Coordinates of all heavy atoms in Angstrom, one line a residue:
M189 N 146.2 -99.8 -91.1 CA 145.1 -100.2 -90.4 C 143.8 -99.5 -90.8 O 142.8 -100.1 -91.0 CB 145.4 -100.1 -88.9 CG 144.2 -100.4 -88.0 SD 144.0 -102.2 -88.0 CE 142.7 -102.3 -86.9
L190 N 143.9 -98.2 -90.8 CA 142.8 -97.4 -91.2 C 142.3 -97.6 -92.7 O 141.1 -97.7 -92.9 CB 143.0 -95.9 -91.0 CG 141.9 -94.9 -91.1 CD1 140.8 -95.3 -90.1 CD2 142.4 -93.5 -90.8
W191 N 143.3 -97.8 -93.5 CA 142.9 -98.1 -95.0 C 142.2 -99.5 -95.1 O 141.3 -99.6 -95.9 CB 144.2 -98.1 -95.9 CG 144.6 -96.7 -96.2 CD1 145.7 -96.1 -95.8 CD2 143.9 -95.9 -97.0 NE1 145.8 -94.8 -96.3 CE2 144.7 -94.6 -97.1 CE3 142.7 -95.8 -97.7 CZ2 144.3 -93.5 -97.8 CZ3 142.3 -94.7 -98.4 CH2 143.1 -93.6 -98.4
G192 N 142.6 -100.4 -94.2 CA 142.0 -101.7 -94.2 C 140.5 -101.6 -93.8 O 139.6 -102.2 -94.4
I193 N 140.2 -100.8 -92.8 CA 138.9 -100.6 -92.3 C 138.1 -100.0 -93.4 O 136.9 -100.3 -93.7 CB 138.9 -99.8 -91.1 CG1 139.5 -100.6 -89.9 CG2 137.4 -99.4 -90.7 CD1 139.7 -99.8 -88.6
Y194 N 138.7 -99.0 -94.0 CA 138.0 -98.2 -95.2 C 137.6 -99.1 -96.3 O 136.4 -99.1 -96.7 CB 139.0 -97.1 -95.7 CG 138.5 -96.4 -96.9 CD1 137.6 -95.4 -96.8 CD2 139.1 -96.7 -98.1 CE1 137.2 -94.7 -98.0 CE2 138.7 -96.0 -99.3 CZ 137.8 -95.0 -99.2 OH 137.4 -94.4 -100.3
W195 N 138.5 -100.0 -96.7 CA 138.2 -100.9 -97.8 C 137.2 -102.0 -97.4 O 136.3 -102.4 -98.2 CB 139.4 -101.5 -98.4 CG 140.1 -100.5 -99.3 CD1 141.3 -99.8 -99.0 CD2 139.7 -100.0 -100.5 NE1 141.6 -98.9 -99.9 CE2 140.7 -99.0 -100.9 CE3 138.6 -100.2 -101.3 CZ2 140.5 -98.3 -102.1 CZ3 138.5 -99.5 -102.5 CH2 139.4 -98.5 -102.9
I196 N 137.3 -102.5 -96.2 CA 136.4 -103.5 -95.7 C 134.9 -102.9 -95.7 O 134.0 -103.6 -96.1 CB 136.8 -104.1 -94.4 CG1 138.0 -104.9 -94.5 CG2 135.7 -104.8 -93.7 CD1 138.6 -105.3 -93.2
V197 N 134.8 -101.7 -95.2 CA 133.5 -101.0 -95.1 C 132.9 -100.8 -96.5 O 131.8 -101.1 -96.8 CB 133.6 -99.7 -94.4 CG1 132.3 -98.9 -94.6 CG2 133.8 -99.9 -92.9
L198 N 133.7 -100.4 -97.5 CA 133.3 -100.2 -98.8 C 132.9 -101.5 -99.6 O 131.9 -101.6 -100.2 CB 134.3 -99.5 -99.7 CG 134.4 -98.0 -99.4 CD1 135.6 -97.4 -100.2 CD2 133.1 -97.3 -99.7
I199 N 133.7 -102.6 -99.3 CA 133.3 -103.9 -99.9 C 132.1 -104.4 -99.3 O 131.2 -104.9 -100.0 CB 134.6 -104.9 -99.7 CG1 135.7 -104.4 -100.6 CG2 134.1 -106.3 -100.1 CD1 137.0 -105.1 -100.4
V200 N 131.9 -104.4 -98.0 CA 130.7 -104.8 -97.3 C 129.5 -104.0 -97.8 O 128.4 -104.6 -98.1 CB 130.9 -104.8 -95.8 CG1 129.5 -105.0 -95.1 CG2 131.9 -105.9 -95.4
S201 N 129.7 -102.7 -98.0 CA 128.6 -101.8 -98.4 C 128.2 -102.2 -99.8 O 127.0 -102.3 -100.2 CB 129.1 -100.4 -98.4 OG 128.2 -99.5 -99.1
F202 N 129.2 -102.5 -100.7 CA 128.8 -102.9 -102.1 C 128.1 -104.2 -102.1 O 127.0 -104.3 -102.7 CB 130.1 -103.1 -102.9 CG 129.9 -103.5 -104.3 CD1 129.3 -102.8 -105.2 CD2 130.3 -104.9 -104.6 CE1 129.1 -103.3 -106.5 CE2 130.0 -105.3 -105.9 CZ 129.5 -104.5 -106.8
I203 N 128.6 -105.2 -101.3 CA 127.9 -106.5 -101.2 C 126.5 -106.4 -100.6 O 125.5 -106.9 -101.2 CB 128.7 -107.5 -100.5 CG1 130.0 -107.8 -101.2 CG2 127.9 -108.8 -100.2 CD1 131.0 -108.6 -100.5
F204 N 126.4 -105.6 -99.6 CA 125.1 -105.4 -98.9 C 124.1 -104.7 -99.9 O 122.9 -105.0 -99.9 CB 125.2 -104.6 -97.7 CG 124.0 -104.4 -96.9 CD1 123.3 -105.5 -96.4 CD2 123.5 -103.1 -96.6 CE1 122.1 -105.3 -95.6 CE2 122.3 -102.9 -95.9 CZ 121.6 -104.0 -95.4
G205 N 124.6 -103.7 -100.7 CA 123.8 -103.0 -101.7 C 123.2 -104.0 -102.7 O 122.1 -103.9 -103.2
I206 N 124.1 -104.9 -103.1 CA 123.7 -105.9 -104.2 C 122.6 -106.8 -103.5 O 121.6 -107.2 -104.2 CB 124.9 -106.7 -104.6 CG1 125.8 -105.8 -105.5 CG2 124.4 -108.0 -105.4 CD1 127.0 -106.5 -106.0
I207 N 122.8 -107.2 -102.3 CA 121.8 -108.1 -101.6 C 120.5 -107.4 -101.5 O 119.4 -108.0 -101.7 CB 122.3 -108.6 -100.3 CG1 123.5 -109.5 -100.4 CG2 121.2 -109.2 -99.4 CD1 124.2 -109.8 -99.2
V208 N 120.5 -106.1 -101.1 CA 119.3 -105.4 -101.0 C 118.6 -105.2 -102.4 O 117.3 -105.4 -102.5 CB 119.6 -103.9 -100.4 CG1 118.3 -103.1 -100.5 CG2 120.0 -104.1 -99.0
T209 N 119.4 -105.1 -103.4 CA 118.8 -104.9 -104.8 C 118.2 -106.2 -105.2 O 117.1 -106.3 -105.8 CB 119.9 -104.5 -105.8 OG1 120.4 -103.2 -105.3 CG2 119.3 -104.3 -107.1
I210 N 118.9 -107.3 -105.0 CA 118.4 -108.7 -105.4 C 117.2 -109.1 -104.6 O 116.2 -109.6 -105.2 CB 119.5 -109.7 -105.2 CG1 120.6 -109.5 -106.3 CG2 119.0 -111.1 -105.4 CD1 121.9 -110.4 -106.1
T211 N 117.1 -108.9 -103.3 CA 116.0 -109.2 -102.5 C 114.8 -108.3 -102.8 O 113.7 -108.5 -102.2 CB 116.3 -109.3 -101.1 OG1 116.7 -108.0 -100.6 CG2 117.3 -110.3 -100.8
K212 N 115.0 -107.2 -103.5 CA 114.0 -106.3 -103.9 C 113.3 -105.6 -102.7 O 112.1 -105.2 -102.8 CB 112.9 -106.9 -104.8 CG 113.5 -107.4 -106.1 CD 112.4 -108.1 -106.9 CE 113.1 -108.7 -108.2 NZ 112.1 -109.4 -109.0
K213 N 114.0 -105.5 -101.6 CA 113.4 -104.8 -100.4 C 113.4 -103.3 -100.6 O 112.4 -102.6 -100.3 CB 114.2 -105.2 -99.2 CG 114.0 -106.6 -98.7 CD 114.5 -106.8 -97.4 CE 114.3 -108.3 -97.0 NZ 114.6 -108.6 -95.6
N214 N 114.5 -102.8 -101.3 CA 114.5 -101.4 -101.6 C 115.5 -101.2 -102.7 O 116.7 -100.9 -102.5 CB 115.0 -100.6 -100.3 CG 114.6 -99.2 -100.4 OD1 114.3 -98.7 -101.5 ND2 114.6 -98.5 -99.3
K215 N 115.0 -101.4 -103.9 CA 115.8 -101.6 -105.1 C 116.6 -100.3 -105.4 O 117.8 -100.4 -105.7 CB 115.0 -102.0 -106.3 CG 115.6 -102.9 -107.2 CD 114.6 -103.3 -108.2 CE 115.2 -104.5 -109.0 NZ 114.3 -105.1 -110.0
I216 N 116.0 -99.2 -105.3 CA 116.6 -98.0 -105.7 C 117.8 -97.6 -104.8 O 118.9 -97.3 -105.2 CB 115.6 -96.8 -105.7 CG1 114.6 -97.0 -106.8 CG2 116.3 -95.5 -105.9 CD1 113.5 -96.1 -106.9
F217 N 117.6 -97.7 -103.4 CA 118.6 -97.4 -102.5 C 119.7 -98.5 -102.5 O 120.9 -98.1 -102.3 CB 118.0 -97.2 -101.1 CG 117.3 -95.9 -100.9 CD1 116.0 -95.9 -100.8 CD2 118.0 -94.7 -100.9 CE1 115.3 -94.7 -100.7 CE2 117.4 -93.5 -100.7 CZ 116.0 -93.5 -100.6
G218 N 119.4 -99.7 -102.7 CA 120.4 -100.8 -102.8 C 121.3 -100.5 -104.0 O 122.5 -100.7 -103.9
L219 N 120.7 -100.2 -105.2 CA 121.5 -99.9 -106.3 C 122.3 -98.6 -106.1 O 123.5 -98.6 -106.5 CB 120.6 -99.6 -107.5 CG 121.2 -99.6 -108.9 CD1 122.0 -100.9 -109.2 CD2 120.1 -99.4 -110.0
L220 N 121.8 -97.6 -105.5 CA 122.6 -96.4 -105.2 C 123.8 -96.7 -104.3 O 124.8 -96.2 -104.6 CB 121.6 -95.3 -104.5 CG 122.3 -94.0 -104.1 CD1 122.7 -93.2 -105.4 CD2 121.3 -93.2 -103.4
Q221 N 123.5 -97.5 -103.3 CA 124.6 -97.9 -102.4 C 125.7 -98.6 -103.2 O 126.9 -98.4 -102.9 CB 124.0 -98.7 -101.3 CG 125.1 -99.1 -100.3 CD 124.5 -99.9 -99.1 OE1 123.3 -99.8 -98.8 NE2 125.2 -100.7 -98.4
S222 N 125.3 -99.5 -104.0 CA 126.3 -100.3 -104.8 C 127.1 -99.4 -105.7 O 128.4 -99.5 -105.8 CB 125.7 -101.4 -105.6 OG 125.1 -102.3 -104.7
I223 N 126.5 -98.5 -106.4 CA 127.1 -97.6 -107.4 C 128.0 -96.7 -106.7 O 129.2 -96.5 -107.1 CB 126.1 -96.9 -108.2 CG1 125.4 -97.8 -109.2 CG2 126.7 -95.7 -109.0 CD1 124.2 -97.3 -109.9
L224 N 127.6 -96.1 -105.6 CA 128.4 -95.1 -104.8 C 129.6 -95.9 -104.2 O 130.7 -95.3 -104.1 CB 127.6 -94.4 -103.7 CG 126.7 -93.3 -104.2 CD1 125.9 -92.8 -103.0 CD2 127.4 -92.2 -104.9
S225 N 129.4 -97.1 -103.7 CA 130.5 -97.8 -103.2 C 131.6 -98.2 -104.2 O 132.8 -98.4 -103.8 CB 130.0 -99.2 -102.6 OG 129.2 -98.9 -101.5
L226 N 131.3 -98.2 -105.4 CA 132.2 -98.5 -106.5 C 132.9 -97.1 -107.0 O 134.1 -97.1 -107.2 CB 131.6 -99.2 -107.7 CG 131.4 -100.7 -107.6 CD1 130.6 -101.2 -108.8 CD2 132.7 -101.4 -107.3
I227 N 132.1 -96.1 -107.3 CA 132.5 -94.9 -107.9 C 133.3 -94.0 -107.0 O 134.4 -93.4 -107.4 CB 131.3 -94.2 -108.6 CG1 130.8 -95.0 -109.7 CG2 131.8 -92.8 -109.0 CD1 129.6 -94.4 -110.3
L228 N 132.9 -93.9 -105.8 CA 133.5 -92.9 -104.8 C 135.0 -93.2 -104.6 O 135.8 -92.3 -104.6 CB 132.8 -92.8 -103.6 CG 131.5 -91.9 -103.6 CD1 130.8 -91.8 -102.3 CD2 132.0 -90.5 -104.0
P229 N 135.4 -94.5 -104.3 CA 136.8 -94.7 -104.0 C 137.7 -94.4 -105.3 O 138.8 -93.9 -105.2 CB 136.9 -96.2 -103.7 CG 135.6 -96.6 -103.3 CD 134.6 -95.7 -104.0
I230 N 137.2 -94.8 -106.5 CA 137.9 -94.5 -107.7 C 138.0 -93.0 -107.9 O 139.1 -92.5 -108.3 CB 137.2 -95.2 -108.9 CG1 137.2 -96.7 -108.7 CG2 137.8 -94.8 -110.2 CD1 136.3 -97.4 -109.7
W231 N 137.0 -92.3 -107.8 CA 137.0 -90.8 -108.0 C 137.9 -90.2 -106.9 O 138.7 -89.2 -107.3 CB 135.5 -90.3 -107.9 CG 135.4 -88.8 -108.2 CD1 136.3 -88.0 -108.8 CD2 134.2 -88.0 -108.2 NE1 135.8 -86.8 -109.1 CE2 134.5 -86.8 -108.7 CE3 133.0 -88.3 -107.7 CZ2 133.6 -85.8 -108.7 CZ3 132.0 -87.3 -107.8 CH2 132.3 -86.0 -108.2
S232 N 137.8 -90.6 -105.7 CA 138.7 -90.1 -104.7 C 140.1 -90.3 -104.9 O 141.0 -89.4 -104.7 CB 138.3 -90.6 -103.3 OG 137.0 -90.3 -102.9
F233 N 140.4 -91.5 -105.4 CA 141.8 -91.8 -105.8 C 142.4 -91.0 -106.9 O 143.5 -90.4 -106.8 CB 142.0 -93.3 -106.1 CG 143.3 -93.7 -106.7 CD1 144.4 -93.8 -105.8 CD2 143.5 -93.9 -108.0 CE1 145.6 -94.1 -106.2 CE2 144.8 -94.2 -108.4 CZ 145.8 -94.4 -107.5
I234 N 141.5 -90.7 -107.9 CA 142.0 -89.9 -109.0 C 142.1 -88.5 -108.6 O 143.1 -87.7 -109.0 CB 140.9 -90.0 -110.2 CG1 141.0 -91.4 -110.8 CG2 141.2 -89.0 -111.3 CD1 139.9 -91.7 -111.8
F235 N 141.2 -88.0 -107.7 CA 141.3 -86.7 -107.2 C 142.6 -86.5 -106.4 O 143.2 -85.4 -106.4 CB 140.1 -86.3 -106.3 CG 140.1 -85.0 -105.7 CD1 139.8 -83.9 -106.5 CD2 140.2 -84.7 -104.4 CE1 139.8 -82.5 -106.0 CE2 140.2 -83.5 -103.8 CZ 140.0 -82.4 -104.6
A236 N 142.9 -87.5 -105.6 CA 144.1 -87.4 -104.7 C 145.4 -87.4 -105.5 O 146.5 -87.1 -105.0 CB 144.1 -88.5 -103.7
L237 N 145.4 -87.9 -106.7 CA 146.6 -87.9 -107.6 C 147.2 -86.5 -107.8 O 148.3 -86.3 -108.2 CB 146.4 -88.6 -108.9 CG 146.1 -90.1 -108.8 CD1 145.8 -90.6 -110.2 CD2 147.3 -90.8 -108.2
N238 N 146.3 -85.4 -107.6 CA 146.8 -84.1 -107.8 C 147.7 -83.5 -106.7 O 148.2 -82.5 -106.8 CB 145.5 -83.1 -107.9 CG 144.8 -83.5 -109.2 OD1 145.3 -83.8 -110.2 ND2 143.4 -83.4 -109.0
R239 N 147.8 -84.2 -105.6 CA 148.5 -83.8 -104.4 C 150.0 -83.9 -104.6 O 150.5 -84.7 -105.4 CB 148.1 -84.4 -103.1 CG 148.5 -85.8 -103.0 CD 148.0 -86.5 -101.7 NE 148.3 -87.9 -101.8 CZ 149.3 -88.4 -101.2 NH1 150.3 -87.7 -100.6 NH2 149.5 -89.7 -101.2
N240 N 150.8 -83.2 -103.8 CA 152.2 -83.3 -103.7 C 152.6 -84.5 -102.8 O 152.3 -84.4 -101.6 CB 152.9 -82.1 -103.2 CG 154.4 -82.1 -103.2 OD1 155.0 -83.2 -103.4 ND2 155.0 -81.0 -102.8
Y241 N 153.1 -85.6 -103.3 CA 153.3 -86.8 -102.5 C 154.3 -86.7 -101.4 O 154.3 -87.4 -100.4 CB 153.7 -87.9 -103.4 CG 152.6 -88.4 -104.3 CD1 152.5 -87.9 -105.6 CD2 151.5 -89.2 -103.9 CE1 151.5 -88.2 -106.4 CE2 150.5 -89.5 -104.7 CZ 150.5 -89.0 -106.0 OH 149.5 -89.4 -106.8
L242 N 155.2 -85.8 -101.5 CA 156.3 -85.6 -100.5 C 155.9 -84.8 -99.3 O 156.5 -85.1 -98.2 CB 157.5 -85.0 -101.2 CG 158.2 -85.9 -102.4 CD1 159.3 -85.1 -103.0 CD2 158.6 -87.2 -101.9
T243 N 155.1 -83.9 -99.5 CA 154.8 -83.0 -98.4 C 153.3 -83.1 -97.8 O 153.1 -82.7 -96.7 CB 155.0 -81.5 -98.8 OG1 154.1 -81.2 -99.9 CG2 156.5 -81.3 -99.1
T244 N 152.4 -83.6 -98.5 CA 151.0 -83.5 -98.2 C 150.4 -84.9 -98.1 O 150.5 -85.7 -99.0 CB 150.2 -82.7 -99.2 OG1 150.8 -81.5 -99.3 CG2 148.8 -82.5 -98.7
S245 N 149.7 -85.2 -97.0 CA 149.0 -86.5 -96.9 C 147.6 -86.3 -97.6 O 147.2 -85.2 -97.9 CB 148.7 -86.9 -95.4 OG 147.7 -86.0 -94.8
E246 N 147.0 -87.4 -97.9 CA 145.7 -87.4 -98.6 C 144.6 -86.7 -97.9 O 143.9 -85.9 -98.5 CB 145.3 -88.8 -99.0 CG 146.2 -89.5 -100.0 CD 145.8 -90.9 -100.2 OE1 144.6 -91.3 -100.0 OE2 146.7 -91.7 -100.5
I247 N 144.6 -86.9 -96.6 CA 143.5 -86.3 -95.8 C 143.7 -84.8 -95.7 O 142.8 -84.0 -95.9 CB 143.5 -86.9 -94.4 CG1 143.0 -88.4 -94.5 CG2 142.5 -86.2 -93.5 CD1 143.0 -89.2 -93.2
A248 N 145.0 -84.4 -95.5 CA 145.3 -82.9 -95.4 C 145.0 -82.3 -96.8 O 144.5 -81.1 -96.8 CB 146.8 -82.7 -95.0
F249 N 145.3 -83.0 -97.8 CA 145.1 -82.4 -99.2 C 143.6 -82.2 -99.4 O 143.1 -81.2 -99.8 CB 145.6 -83.3 -100.3 CG 145.3 -83.0 -101.6 CD1 145.9 -81.9 -102.3 CD2 144.3 -83.7 -102.3 CE1 145.6 -81.6 -103.6 CE2 144.0 -83.4 -103.7 CZ 144.6 -82.3 -104.3
F250 N 142.8 -83.3 -99.0 CA 141.3 -83.3 -99.2 C 140.7 -82.2 -98.3 O 139.8 -81.4 -98.8 CB 140.7 -84.6 -98.8 CG 139.3 -84.8 -99.2 CD1 138.9 -84.7 -100.5 CD2 138.4 -84.9 -98.2 CE1 137.5 -84.9 -100.8 CE2 137.0 -85.1 -98.5 CZ 136.6 -85.1 -99.8
V251 N 141.1 -82.1 -97.1 CA 140.6 -81.0 -96.2 C 141.0 -79.6 -96.7 O 140.1 -78.7 -96.7 CB 141.1 -81.3 -94.7 CG1 140.7 -80.1 -93.9 CG2 140.4 -82.5 -94.2
G252 N 142.2 -79.5 -97.2 CA 142.6 -78.2 -97.7 C 141.8 -77.8 -98.9 O 141.5 -76.6 -99.1
K253 N 141.5 -78.7 -99.8 CA 140.7 -78.4 -100.9 C 139.2 -78.1 -100.6 O 138.6 -77.2 -101.2 CB 140.6 -79.6 -101.9 CG 142.0 -79.8 -102.6 CD 142.3 -78.7 -103.6 CE 143.5 -79.0 -104.3 NZ 143.8 -77.9 -105.3
I254 N 138.7 -78.7 -99.5 CA 137.3 -78.4 -99.1 C 137.3 -77.0 -98.5 O 136.4 -76.2 -98.7 CB 136.8 -79.4 -98.0 CG1 136.6 -80.8 -98.7 CG2 135.6 -79.0 -97.3 CD1 136.3 -81.9 -97.8
I255 N 138.3 -76.7 -97.7 CA 138.5 -75.3 -97.1 C 138.6 -74.3 -98.2 O 138.0 -73.2 -98.1 CB 139.6 -75.3 -96.1 CG1 139.2 -76.1 -94.9 CG2 139.9 -73.8 -95.6 CD1 140.4 -76.3 -93.9
S256 N 139.3 -74.6 -99.2 CA 139.5 -73.6 -100.3 C 138.3 -73.6 -101.3 O 138.3 -73.1 -102.3 CB 140.7 -73.8 -101.1 OG 140.7 -75.1 -101.7
L257 N 137.2 -74.4 -100.9 CA 135.9 -74.5 -101.7 C 136.1 -75.0 -103.1 O 135.4 -74.6 -104.0 CB 135.3 -73.1 -101.7 CG 134.9 -72.5 -100.4 CD1 134.2 -71.2 -100.5 CD2 133.9 -73.5 -99.6
N258 N 136.9 -76.1 -103.2 CA 137.1 -76.8 -104.5 C 135.8 -77.6 -104.7 O 135.4 -78.4 -103.8 CB 138.3 -77.7 -104.4 CG 138.5 -78.5 -105.7 OD1 137.6 -79.1 -106.2 ND2 139.7 -78.3 -106.2
I259 N 135.1 -77.3 -105.8 CA 133.8 -78.0 -106.0 C 133.9 -79.5 -106.1 O 132.9 -80.2 -105.6 CB 133.1 -77.3 -107.3 CG1 131.7 -77.7 -107.4 CG2 133.9 -77.7 -108.6 CD1 130.8 -77.1 -106.4
E260 N 135.0 -80.0 -106.7 CA 135.1 -81.5 -106.8 C 135.2 -82.1 -105.4 O 134.6 -83.1 -105.1 CB 136.3 -81.8 -107.7 CG 136.4 -83.3 -108.0 CD 137.5 -83.6 -108.9 OE1 138.3 -82.7 -109.3 OE2 137.6 -84.8 -109.3
A261 N 136.0 -81.5 -104.6 CA 136.2 -82.0 -103.2 C 134.9 -81.9 -102.4 O 134.5 -82.9 -101.7 CB 137.3 -81.3 -102.5
I262 N 134.1 -80.9 -102.6 CA 132.9 -80.7 -101.9 C 131.9 -81.8 -102.4 O 131.1 -82.4 -101.6 CB 132.3 -79.3 -102.1 CG1 133.2 -78.3 -101.3 CG2 130.9 -79.2 -101.6 CD1 132.9 -76.9 -101.6
I263 N 131.8 -82.0 -103.7 CA 130.9 -83.1 -104.3 C 131.3 -84.4 -103.7 O 130.4 -85.2 -103.4 CB 131.0 -83.0 -105.8 CG1 130.3 -81.7 -106.3 CG2 130.3 -84.2 -106.4 CD1 130.4 -81.5 -107.8
I264 N 132.6 -84.8 -103.6 CA 133.0 -86.0 -103.2 C 132.6 -86.2 -101.7 O 132.1 -87.2 -101.3 CB 134.6 -86.2 -103.3 CG1 134.9 -86.4 -104.8 CG2 135.1 -87.4 -102.5 CD1 136.4 -86.4 -105.1
L265 N 132.8 -85.1 -100.9 CA 132.4 -85.2 -99.5 C 130.9 -85.4 -99.4 O 130.4 -86.2 -98.6 CB 132.8 -83.9 -98.8 CG 132.3 -83.7 -97.3 CD1 133.0 -84.8 -96.5 CD2 132.6 -82.3 -96.8
I266 N 130.1 -84.7 -100.1 CA 128.6 -84.8 -100.1 C 128.2 -86.3 -100.5 O 127.4 -86.8 -99.8 CB 127.9 -83.8 -101.0 CG1 128.1 -82.3 -100.4 CG2 126.5 -84.1 -101.2 CD1 127.7 -81.2 -101.2
L267 N 128.8 -86.8 -101.5 CA 128.5 -88.1 -101.9 C 128.9 -89.2 -100.9 O 128.2 -90.2 -100.7 CB 129.1 -88.5 -103.3 CG 128.5 -87.7 -104.5 CD1 129.2 -88.0 -105.7 CD2 127.0 -88.1 -104.6
Y268 N 130.0 -89.0 -100.2 CA 130.3 -89.9 -99.1 C 129.3 -89.8 -97.9 O 128.9 -90.8 -97.4 CB 131.7 -89.6 -98.5 CG 132.8 -90.4 -99.2 CD1 133.8 -89.7 -100.0 CD2 132.9 -91.8 -99.1 CE1 134.8 -90.4 -100.6 CE2 133.9 -92.5 -99.7 CZ 134.8 -91.9 -100.4 OH 135.8 -92.6 -101.1
L269 N 128.9 -88.6 -97.7 CA 127.8 -88.4 -96.7 C 126.5 -89.1 -97.1 O 125.8 -89.7 -96.3 CB 127.6 -86.9 -96.4 CG 128.7 -86.2 -95.7 CD1 128.5 -84.8 -95.5 CD2 129.0 -86.9 -94.3
V270 N 126.1 -89.0 -98.4 CA 125.0 -89.7 -99.0 C 125.1 -91.2 -98.8 O 124.2 -91.9 -98.5 CB 124.7 -89.3 -100.4 CG1 123.7 -90.2 -101.1 CG2 124.3 -87.8 -100.5
L271 N 126.3 -91.7 -99.1 CA 126.6 -93.1 -99.0 C 126.4 -93.6 -97.5 O 125.7 -94.6 -97.3 CB 128.0 -93.4 -99.5 CG 128.4 -94.9 -99.3 CD1 127.5 -95.8 -100.2 CD2 129.9 -95.1 -99.8
I272 N 126.9 -92.8 -96.6 CA 126.7 -93.2 -95.2 C 125.2 -93.2 -94.8 O 124.7 -94.1 -94.2 CB 127.5 -92.2 -94.3 CG1 129.0 -92.4 -94.4 CG2 127.1 -92.3 -92.8 CD1 129.9 -91.3 -93.8
G273 N 124.5 -92.2 -95.3 CA 123.1 -92.1 -95.1 C 122.3 -93.3 -95.7 O 121.4 -93.9 -95.1
V274 N 122.7 -93.7 -96.9 CA 122.0 -94.8 -97.6 C 122.4 -96.1 -96.8 O 121.5 -97.0 -96.7 CB 122.4 -94.8 -99.1 CG1 122.0 -96.1 -99.7 CG2 121.9 -93.6 -99.8
I275 N 123.6 -96.2 -96.4 CA 124.0 -97.4 -95.6 C 123.1 -97.5 -94.3 O 122.6 -98.6 -94.0 CB 125.5 -97.4 -95.3 CG1 126.3 -97.6 -96.5 CG2 125.8 -98.5 -94.3 CD1 127.8 -97.4 -96.3
I276 N 123.0 -96.5 -93.6 CA 122.2 -96.4 -92.4 C 120.7 -96.8 -92.7 O 120.1 -97.5 -92.0 CB 122.4 -95.1 -91.7 CG1 123.8 -95.0 -91.1 CG2 121.4 -94.9 -90.5 CD1 124.2 -93.6 -90.6
Y277 N 120.2 -96.1 -93.7 CA 118.8 -96.3 -94.1 C 118.6 -97.8 -94.5 O 117.6 -98.4 -94.0 CB 118.4 -95.4 -95.3 CG 117.1 -95.6 -95.7 CD1 116.0 -95.1 -95.1 CD2 116.8 -96.4 -96.9 CE1 114.7 -95.3 -95.5 CE2 115.5 -96.6 -97.3 CZ 114.5 -96.0 -96.7 OH 113.2 -96.2 -97.1
N278 N 119.4 -98.3 -95.3 CA 119.2 -99.7 -95.7 C 119.4 -100.7 -94.6 O 118.7 -101.7 -94.5 CB 120.2 -100.1 -96.9 CG 119.8 -99.6 -98.2 OD1 118.6 -99.4 -98.4 ND2 120.7 -99.4 -99.1
T279 N 120.3 -100.4 -93.6 CA 120.5 -101.2 -92.5 C 119.2 -101.3 -91.6 O 118.8 -102.3 -91.2 CB 121.7 -100.8 -91.7 OG1 122.9 -100.8 -92.5 CG2 121.9 -101.6 -90.5
F280 N 118.6 -100.1 -91.4 CA 117.4 -100.0 -90.5 C 116.2 -100.6 -91.2 O 115.4 -101.2 -90.6 CB 117.2 -98.7 -90.0 CG 118.2 -98.2 -88.9 CD1 118.9 -97.0 -89.1 CD2 118.3 -99.0 -87.8 CE1 119.8 -96.6 -88.1 CE2 119.2 -98.6 -86.8 CZ 119.9 -97.4 -87.0
V281 N 116.1 -100.3 -92.5 CA 114.9 -100.9 -93.3 C 115.0 -102.4 -93.3 O 114.0 -103.1 -93.2 CB 114.8 -100.2 -94.7 CG1 113.9 -101.0 -95.6 CG2 114.4 -98.8 -94.6
N282 N 116.1 -103.0 -93.6 CA 116.3 -104.3 -93.8 C 116.3 -105.1 -92.5 O 116.2 -106.4 -92.4 CB 117.5 -104.7 -94.6 CG 117.3 -104.3 -96.1 OD1 116.1 -104.4 -96.6 ND2 118.3 -103.8 -96.7
T283 N 116.6 -104.5 -91.3 CA 116.6 -105.2 -90.1 C 115.3 -105.0 -89.3 O 115.1 -105.6 -88.2 CB 117.8 -104.8 -89.2 OG1 117.7 -103.3 -89.1 CG2 119.1 -105.2 -89.9
K284 N 114.4 -104.1 -89.8 CA 113.2 -104.0 -89.2 C 112.3 -105.2 -89.2 O 112.1 -105.8 -90.3 CB 112.4 -102.8 -89.8 CG 111.2 -102.4 -89.0 CD 110.2 -101.5 -89.8 CE 110.8 -100.2 -90.2 NZ 109.8 -99.3 -90.8
R285 N 111.8 -105.6 -88.1 CA 110.9 -106.8 -88.0 C 109.5 -106.4 -88.4 O 109.0 -105.4 -88.0 CB 111.0 -107.4 -86.7 CG 112.4 -107.8 -86.3 CD 112.4 -108.6 -85.0 NE 113.9 -109.0 -84.8 CZ 114.2 -109.6 -83.9 NH1 113.4 -110.1 -83.0 NH2 115.5 -109.9 -83.8
K286 N 108.9 -107.3 -89.1 CA 107.5 -107.1 -89.6 C 106.5 -107.8 -88.7 O 106.8 -108.8 -88.1 CB 107.4 -107.5 -91.0 CG 108.2 -106.7 -92.0 CD 108.0 -107.1 -93.4 CE 108.9 -106.2 -94.2 NZ 108.7 -106.5 -95.6

């Protein structure tokens, strides 16, 4: 269930970023949103391949790497936070009435 929500949000984010880019309301942030929506899941998946599949869940692995100050995990986390910020920004800019 949680994975379904995750993928739906990323797909909607990608499509919304393309729409924002095409309508030229905010081209840079729309393109950033689309690129991050594509790259982050792939990068996160490749990063999670390093875990022990029998004993560690993906979330526990990711949190453990952040706590141990793994630079790649921290960059992935920061980029997810940037993606959330860009989604919120694009949503408010594109729904603002003129």
Side-chain angles (χ1 to χ4, degrees):
M189 176 72 177
L190 191 58
W191 281 111
I193 294 170
Y194 171 77
W195 284 108
I196 288 171
V197 167
L198 285 174
I199 291 169
V200 168
S201 170
F202 176 73
I203 293 170
F204 185 62
I206 290 175
I207 291 171
V208 169
T209 305
I210 290 173
T211 59
K212 298 180 184 176
K213 291 189 178 189
N214 203 342
K215 218 172 190 178
I216 294 172
F217 284 109
L219 192 59
L220 179 65
Q221 182 175 339
S222 296
I223 291 171
L224 287 177
S225 296
L226 282 178
I227 291 175
L228 279 176
I230 295 168
W231 190 7
S232 297
F233 174 74
I234 292 170
F235 180 72
L237 290 176
N238 294 322
R239 71 182 173 93
N240 183 355
Y241 293 98
L242 299 176
T243 59
T244 309
S245 71
E246 292 174 28
I247 294 174
F249 173 76
F250 189 66
V251 170
K253 289 294 184 177
I254 290 172
I255 291 171
S256 67
L257 298 177
N258 182 303
I259 191 72
E260 187 175 6
I262 293 171
I263 290 172
I264 291 171
L265 177 65
I266 290 170
L267 288 177
Y268 269 113
L269 293 174
V270 167
L271 177 61
I272 291 169
V274 169
I275 290 170
I276 292 170
Y277 177 78
N278 281 337
T279 302
F280 286 126
V281 166
N282 289 322
T283 58
K284 186 195 297 186
R285 296 186 182 184
K286 294 182 180 182

